[in-house]
Amino acid sequence: MNELVPGGNVPLPDGALTIRVPGPFDVSVLITGDGGKVAGDEDFVFYNQPSAPGVRLGSGTVRVDPRRLRAGAGRLTVVVSAADPGVPLGRLPVPVLTVSGEGGGVLARFTPVRPTRETVLLLAEIYRRGPGWKLRALGQGYADGLGGIARDFGVDVAEEAGAPAAVSPVRAPATPRPPASPPVAFGDGTEAEFAALVRTDRLAAGAPPVTVEPRLSAAARAHAEAMARQGRLGAEGPDGTSVFQRITAGGYRYLRIEQHLVSGPRTVREFLDYCRSDASTRGPLRDSAPTDAGIGRAADPRSGDVYWTALWARPFTAGGLVGVVDEVLTLTNAERGAAGLRPLAHDGRLAEAAQAYSADMAARAFYSHTSPEGLAPWDRAAASGAPHRGIGENIACGQRTPSEVVEGWMNSPGHRANILKPDFTHLGVGYAGGGPAGTYWTQLFGER
């Protein structure tokens, strides 16, 4: 059984699946094709429309048979909301998703980071990859209910007055639907205006200015254009290339990365006004950690919608990497200390293997304890010359900071068990940026 963290994915066997989310929740499913949009309102399976070809909704469960989906369906997104409408999910138990196969055995489980003010959570997605299907953990929240999600996926719902002008999918994603207008032509000066406005904002917040980095802006422009072509927000373009892969392909390596993916604003000033509007979106703008930034925008010529990508980064340095992995070790030992366990010692050979594996997952865009060549954690430890009798491994992807990744591992029973295993004596930590998820983390534990 696989314990997933946000961004983690696992192959699924052929046949029907049962998805369970117990507790005071309503479960919904959106069925989409390659373009990320529903084909019609019948692709929105929820309590008032509990079935569609290949999908049937029960009490806290969803039965999915990929073989029976409508023609063209390539992705199912599982959504949870409070059974009592409008209640923030932060007031309820954390929704835990389990996926079982036809034999009843649990294939995967996902416990997201606890939501706060969000009322709806994109919990996971089942998507076609080549001839088979995979499950990916998401854990992304919306603050404006099922209506916001439905609009984002192309379901025809009534607009309400006062709807947000733009919402970022990084922390609380939703796509605004401004009235159609003529295409926008952008002149020069976007980066200069962005730099000047951001400098003023950051100085007022006590954060140092950022440098507008040409490679980040090039990646941001390419990603904004990709979103405009497909007519929706997303961390991946229509060809499956993520914004993070665009950054690293341009030759920029980072230790820290944040992004704003937004549609709606027409000017740089309107875009930054949106970024300042909420605690979940103003963080990168005023965080002192990023030292570089990039900005890009593009218009969908069909609708006139404007799509923005802003990137906030701290560049890679060898010393910075040492600081990141040392912080993971320190936080891990703090958890062990709180449980009355002895601290883990740093092991250079385990660290070498862990770092190489994080870099490999980012470079080759996979996420698994087993490498594409079939090598397991103990194989990698042995190849590095580590002499330990017992080996354990935690991996994660998508988390932005050491505290975020350790918290995620501690909220997952399987990963927590490794961190708190009394027999482990040594630890190596790896971290790399890039790939579909943006960040890849590895802990390799050893027992002597």
Side-chain angles (χ1 to χ4, degrees), residues 150-406:
R151 285 188 293 270
D152 196 15
F153 284 81
V155 179
D156 186 15
V157 296
E159 291 281 359
E160 296 181 3
V167 184
S168 165
V170 177
R171 298 299 179 200
T175 302
R177 296 294 164 191
S181 57
V184 177
F186 301 126
D188 294 333
T190 297
E191 290 183 357
E193 184 179 3
F194 173 79
L197 293 173
V198 167
R199 176 184 175 84
T200 300
D201 203 275
R202 287 176 68 85
L203 289 175
V210 291
T211 299
V212 176
E213 218 284 343
R215 292 169 294 181
L216 288 177
S217 285
R221 286 193 299 272
H223 195 71
E225 290 166 0
M227 291 192 295
R229 284 196 301 272
Q230 64 184 347
R232 68 180 178 94
L233 296 173
E236 292 185 356
D239 62 352
T241 302
S242 76
V243 64
F244 314 110
Q245 289 168 309
R246 298 182 197 281
I247 296 169
T248 54
Y252 186 93
R253 298 177 67 195
Y254 55 82
L255 283 175
R256 178 80 176 267
I257 191 69
E258 298 283 354
Q259 79 270 24
H260 285 105
L261 308 178
V262 176
S263 67
R266 313 291 286 181
T267 67
V268 175
R269 189 177 294 276
E270 288 178 4
F271 166 74
L272 290 173
D273 284 344
Y274 162 72
C275 294
R276 302 183 190 103
S277 65
D278 185 84
S280 64
T281 56
R282 76 173 68 102
L285 176 62
R286 299 178 178 177
D287 187 353
S288 60
T291 59
D292 294 343
I295 185 71
R297 62 177 174 177
D300 181 348
R302 299 158 297 188
S303 66
D305 292 351
V306 183
Y307 290 83
W308 297 79
T309 300
L311 300 170
W312 312 86
R314 189 172 192 89
F316 176 90
T317 63
L321 178 61
V322 170
V324 168
V325 299
D326 281 353
E327 187 175 351
V328 173
L329 175 61
T330 298
L331 292 169
T332 299
N333 280 332
E335 297 290 350
R336 288 177 65 88
L341 300 172
R342 61 183 176 181
L344 301 171
H346 168 78
D347 186 282
R349 288 161 293 191
L350 293 176
E352 180 183 351
Q355 181 60 38
Y357 198 57
S358 286
D360 192 27
M361 288 191 290
R364 294 201 284 172
F366 74 94
Y367 179 74
S368 172
H369 289 288
T370 304
S371 75
E373 294 77 22
L375 298 178
W378 39 91
D379 298 318
R380 294 188 286 274
S384 73
H388 304 279
R389 292 176 299 164
I391 294 293
E393 183 179 79
N394 284 346
I395 59 175
C397 62
Q399 294 81 3
R400 297 297 189 253
T401 64
S403 59
E404 188 177 329
V405 73
V406 173

Side-chain angles (χ1 to χ4, degrees), residues 26-75:
D26 283 331
V27 182
S28 308
V29 177
L30 287 144
I31 305 164
T32 56
D34 293 339
K37 302 292 186 181
V38 298
D41 292 351
E42 63 275 8
D43 280 349
F44 188 17
V45 180
F46 67 118
Y47 48 82
N48 279 342
Q49 186 171 267
S51 65
V55 182
R56 179 169 294 278
L57 187 64
S59 178
T61 66
V62 182
R63 178 78 169 173
V64 174
D65 189 341
R67 299 165 297 188
R68 299 180 180 275
L69 295 173
R70 66 163 175 82
R75 190 177 303 264

